[in-house]
Amino acid sequence: MHIPFASFRSRLTAGAALLGCLLAAYSLLPATAAARANSVQNLSKSISYNGKTYAVKYVAVDLTDPYLRVKPVTAEDGIGHVEDFSSMMARNHAVAGVNGAFFDSYEKDDSRRYPNGLLVSSGEPVHSGINSSFLVLPDKTAALATLKTSQDVTVLHSGASPYTFTAWGVNKYYGESVIDQVVWYTRDFGTRVDFPNTTKVVIREHRITEITQAGVTIPEDGYVCMVGNSTNNKTYIVPSLHIGDTINIKPTYTDSDTGVSGPLGAIDAAVGAGPRLLKDGAVDIDFARDGFTDPKITTQANGRSFVGIDASGRMVIGTMSSATIRDMAQVLLKLGLTDAMNLDGGASSALYANGSVLTAPGRLLSNAWIVEKSDTPQIQIAVNGSFVHEFRGYLQHETTMVPLRGILERIGAEFAWNGDTRTLTVAYNSNQLTLHPGDSTMLHNGRGVALPEAPTIVDGHIYLPLRTVTEALGAQIAWDPELYRASLAIP
């Protein structure tokens, strides 16, 4: 599987996050971009196979529509919790959605109904795993692969050699008896990490701020690394961690089908479930390869959910009446899909499109795979060949407004936010920029430069006009109208 871009997502808070999220506008873009007609179509069809007729409800999605973005979502209270499907759709402004990865639906503790599949959003792990997976790539195409995610952590301590270790997982918990576990937590997990017999390491803005045995709050602008209190961890990992140390993380993937590995940022979004049903226009079912032995999956008929790709490259999500996995694959082949994967089914089967629940689940759900629709077209950004996953731009009065932090980090620029004076300063090579939210004048090396739109704060991030700001830093800009992507070349 070829994946075109790599990147890394920094998490920011409203407030502290203001310190760097700049970016901007671009007059070469079209003045407006109309939402594409029928880019999200909800359909239904009865398909006969092997003497039976199957009712299929499905939604076809044009991934190239710049108003749309695909991603996994989890319950409002975090990973391990569950939520009503319709509430999940409304809360996340979904225009379409289907239930996602399998989860521990029979767990009595409704705060520990953890997913059993990987979830990736904006090139960053929401939940780690090893699964048959459906991927959406930065070039707005979709693919199937068998993925394993990994999280490497490097600790930089003054006067010492870098120390690197690998987290067992992201936003997982292996139980109180597994004292050797090392787990990475983000705000996707919830607000706190309180598991006993573990050391919690709080990281904000890539620096360790606290090391404690007590429960901790997961910072909005950072992470928590939980280290089990095993002899091995207390001998090697914990002594290598100090307050003030710099922490760098490297999320990666390995494609078991091809052996290819790379930065997880090469994938925009992914959901892991299985088994695989179709590949390249043919049935491709291998229960052993995909790790399934439960008769509910391997032999029995049940209500089903799926995600796949049709011959025109559209993503297709849907549900169907009771079927075996093998019959389901044949039905989807007759429906016109070329690639497809099974999702969690049975009482979890759920489908939503254009304001209506088309298939209502019989239980609360842990996670879902949704299509989000924005009010304005989203602008992709690439910097020197590196795709910026963590942010998208938007059009405002014919000007492209985008946050700049991802660009500045990729070129090694220095930047700082002063909350008292509400001033953003940027230094790169011989260029010094000073900007203020609401002020349509930028200082470039002390000289006033008019901006087509004043900097605007959206969800705690500063958005600026791309062309004016990045060209002041020496950027050349190319526009791809198909991907709705601005590619920057910055020396």
Side-chain angles (χ1 to χ4, degrees), residues 60-72:
V61 179
D62 179 1
L63 296 174
T64 66
D65 187 331
Y67 287 80
L68 304 181
R69 192 170 187 185
V70 180
K71 64 180 183 180

Side-chain angles (χ1 to χ4, degrees), residues 104-161:
D104 298 331
S105 58
Y106 298 110
E107 167 61 47
K108 292 182 180 179
D109 184 345
D110 62 7
S111 69
R112 294 194 177 188
R113 293 178 183 170
Y114 299 122
N116 296 321
L118 67 84
L119 302 170
V120 175
S121 182
S122 297
E124 183 176 278
V126 173
H127 187 264
S128 57
I130 307 172
N131 299 94
S132 178
S133 303
F134 183 88
L135 323 176
V136 175
L137 304 178
D139 64 359
K140 300 188 178 183
T141 62
L144 294 179
T146 303
L147 289 189
K148 174 185 178 181
T149 60
S150 184
Q151 185 97 329
D152 295 329
V153 182
T154 299
V155 184
L156 303 178
H157 180 68
S158 178
S161 299

Side-chain angles (χ1 to χ4, degrees), residues 20-29 379-381 391-396 398-408 424 433 435 442 451-456 462-473 475 477 479 486 488:
C21 301
L22 230 157
L23 221 150
Y26 184 40
S27 299
L28 297 179
L29 309 191
I379 312 298
Q380 292 187 350
I381 304 295
F391 301 112
R392 293 289 193 275
Y394 63 89
L395 285 176
Q396 177 173 304
E398 304 182 8
T399 296
T400 303
M401 305 292 289
V402 282
L404 187 58
R405 179 170 188 148
I407 293 176
L408 297 178
L424 178 64
L433 307 181
L435 303 111
M442 170 182 72
L451 299 171
E453 293 287 338
T456 302
I462 303 177
Y463 284 70
L464 298 172
L466 168 66
R467 181 171 189 140
T468 309
V469 175
T470 58
E471 287 189 347
L473 299 175
I477 307 172
W479 172 245
L488 311 181

Side-chain angles (χ1 to χ4, degrees), residues 72-376:
V73 295
T74 58
E76 184 173 15
D77 291 335
I79 289 174
H81 297 269
V82 290
E83 184 180 356
D84 178 76
F85 178 65
S86 59
S87 170
M88 199 179 290
M89 296 298 101
R91 183 173 54 83
N92 288 285
H93 311 290
V95 68
V98 67
N99 59 288
F102 293 95
F103 68 101
D104 298 331
S105 58
Y106 298 110
E107 167 61 47
K108 292 182 180 179
D109 184 345
D110 62 7
S111 69
R112 294 194 177 188
R113 293 178 183 170
Y114 299 122
N116 296 321
L118 67 84
L119 302 170
V120 175
S121 182
S122 297
E124 183 176 278
V126 173
H127 187 264
S128 57
I130 307 172
N131 299 94
S132 178
S133 303
F134 183 88
L135 323 176
V136 175
L137 304 178
D139 64 359
K140 300 188 178 183
T141 62
L144 294 179
T146 303
L147 289 189
K148 174 185 178 181
T149 60
S150 184
Q151 185 97 329
D152 295 329
V153 182
T154 299
V155 184
L156 303 178
H157 180 68
S158 178
S161 299
Y163 177 75
T164 299
F165 63 93
T166 300
W168 287 26
V170 176
N171 292 328
K172 303 174 77 76
Y173 183 56
Y174 296 90
E176 295 178 14
S177 63
V178 185
I179 61 173
D180 209 33
Q181 63 184 299
V182 180
V183 184
W184 196 261
Y185 293 100
T186 73
R187 265 302 177 103
D188 292 311
F189 186 76
T191 58
R192 290 188 61 79
V193 177
D194 290 300
F195 300 119
N197 197 27
T198 60
T199 299
K200 290 85 172 177
V201 182
V202 180
I203 299 119
R204 299 188 65 180
E205 291 293 323
H206 302 293
R207 290 192 181 275
I208 296 176
T209 59
E210 183 180 1
I211 301 174
T212 179
Q213 295 288 310
V216 297
T217 297
I218 303 172
E220 292 184 5
D221 60 342
Y223 315 88
V224 170
C225 182
M226 186 186 76
V227 182
N229 289 339
S230 67
T231 300
N232 181 66
N233 288 344
K234 289 191 289 185
T235 301
Y236 296 103
I237 296 180
V238 175
S240 301
L241 304 171
H242 315 84
I243 291 176
D245 286 354
T246 297
I247 301 292
N248 293 323
I249 57 174
K250 183 182 178 183
T252 60
Y253 76 91
T254 299
D255 181 350
S256 299
D257 296 334
T258 63
V260 172
S261 297
L264 191 60
I267 299 167
D268 195 35
V271 57
R276 185 183 301 169
L277 303 170
L278 305 175
K279 181 75 170 179
D280 298 329
V283 173
D284 182 16
I285 297 173
D286 187 329
F287 295 118
R289 174 198 64 200
D290 294 340
F292 289 92
T293 59
D294 189 335
K296 291 181 180 179
I297 298 294
T298 59
T299 59
Q300 296 175 10
N302 209 338
R304 303 292 180 189
S305 300
F306 63 88
V307 59
I309 311 164
D310 69 11
S312 64
R314 295 182 303 176
M315 181 181 76
V316 180
I317 57 176
T319 59
M320 63 183 296
S321 55
S322 184
T324 66
I325 288 291
R326 295 190 185 280
D327 285 352
M328 179 188 187
Q330 295 290 346
V331 169
L332 295 182
L333 199 60
K334 295 183 74 171
L335 189 66
L337 273 65
T338 60
D339 300 77
M341 181 185 75
N342 180 61
L343 296 169
D344 190 7
S348 294
S349 291
L351 185 65
Y352 172 91
N354 297 318
S356 299
V357 174
L358 307 177
T359 301
R363 60 166 67 108
L364 301 179
L365 299 182
S366 147
N367 65 94
W369 180 247
I370 74 163
V371 181
E372 181 184 62
K373 187 172 184 178
S374 60
D375 294 332
T376 58

